[in-house]
Amino acid sequence: MKIQTEQSVQWFEKINEKIQANKEYLTELDQAIGDSDHGINMARGFQETVNKLTGQDYETVSDVMKDAAMTLISKVGGASGPLFGTAFLKFSMAVKGKEPVDYDALTNGLEEGLQGVMGRGKATTGEKTMVDVWSSVVAYLKQGEGSFETDRLSETAKKAMEQTKGMMATKGRAAYFKEKSIGHIDPGSVSSFYVFDALAEVLKEAEQ
């Protein structure tokens, strides 16, 4: 399992495809427990990110992640930009000098990204946020012995996303809804699922 520079660009291309295809769904989720703008913001931000990365001649995965992070922070409105941007910025810093990014570097990068999100959002697990998906994926990778099944990676993220439906939000805009937030999937966790589903697809294609 190794991520080359080219594959890190493909990762963002696949995330963008999934976000664009599900923009309206993300907006519907956010209408229930948020500001109704998550889908629009994420679609704009990841499209801008792909525009930034396309045609550039990157030498390292770290450089790709840094440019992606800075674009998300500057182009995505609301809380999502700083949170997703911070995750990828911390990832970028963690994998600096690691070429290509192997299993341990990926695991460490995602864990640093998770810590960045938790610090930035003052959030922890069980609060119905993107943290629930990121923490589940990191836990899955940390229990592996240097390898993992790409399908399991995607399934782990999906299960964590679905579990936010039964939680009561205590962070962010959704926290205003209190008990009424129960029964709705968190939009940020869905976007996070797309991030890891895209990663699984890129890694699966690399294996073939």
Side-chain angles (χ1 to χ4, degrees):
M1 198 296 308
K2 287 182 172 58
I3 299 175
Q4 310 280 354
T5 307
E6 180 185 350
Q7 288 162 334
S8 63
V9 174
Q10 290 171 357
W11 183 12
F12 284 98
E13 289 172 346
K14 284 191 180 291
I15 296 171
N16 185 47
E17 286 172 13
K18 293 176 186 297
I19 296 284
Q20 300 302 334
N22 294 282
K23 179 171 71 173
E24 290 179 8
Y25 173 57
L26 289 170
T27 296
E28 284 171 20
L29 291 174
D30 204 35
Q31 281 171 344
I33 54 171
D35 291 329
S36 310
D37 60 357
H38 185 73
I40 297 162
N41 287 340
M42 292 295 284
R44 183 178 64 240
F46 274 92
Q47 185 60 60
E48 291 277 2
T49 300
V50 169
N51 292 349
K52 172 71 175 175
L53 300 181
T54 302
Q56 300 267 25
D57 190 20
Y58 291 102
E59 292 188 1
T60 69
V61 172
S62 178
D63 288 342
V64 173
M65 294 293 157
K66 184 179 179 182
D67 265 8
M70 300 314 288
T71 305
L72 289 171
I73 289 169
S74 63
K75 299 293 185 182
V76 181
S80 299
L83 291 170
F84 279 89
T86 295
F88 288 115
L89 188 59
K90 294 290 187 182
F91 186 106
S92 164
M93 293 159 67
V95 302
K96 197 170 181 65
K98 313 276 188 186
E99 290 299 320
V101 172
D102 62 12
Y103 184 95
D104 290 339
L106 173 65
T107 303
N108 184 49
L110 291 177
E111 184 169 26
E112 288 295 314
L114 167 63
Q115 293 301 324
V117 171
M118 292 173 75
R120 187 86 189 234
K122 309 269 191 297
T124 187
T125 53
E127 294 189 308
K128 201 185 185 86
T129 71
M130 63 187 283
V131 167
D132 294 302
V133 173
W134 281 72
S135 61
S136 293
V137 168
V138 168
Y140 169 63
L141 291 176
K142 286 179 77 171
Q143 72 186 19
E145 297 297 326
S147 67
F148 62 88
E149 296 173 35
T150 50
D151 289 345
R152 281 286 305 279
L153 175 69
S154 181
E155 286 163 13
T156 298
K158 187 175 184 181
K159 184 178 178 183
M161 169 195 79
E162 290 169 344
Q163 286 176 339
T164 65
K165 187 171 185 177
M167 298 175 183
M168 184 176 80
T170 56
K171 279 290 179 293
R173 178 72 178 164
Y176 292 112
F177 293 85
K178 297 181 181 175
E179 289 84 0
K180 290 180 181 176
S181 67
I182 299 171
H184 298 282
I185 293 176
D186 172 63
S189 73
V190 179
S191 290
S192 294
F193 162 65
Y194 296 146
V195 166
F196 294 114
D197 194 40
L199 175 61
E201 284 183 19
V202 169
L203 293 174
K204 194 169 193 174
E205 286 173 10
E207 290 171 356
Q208 293 169 356

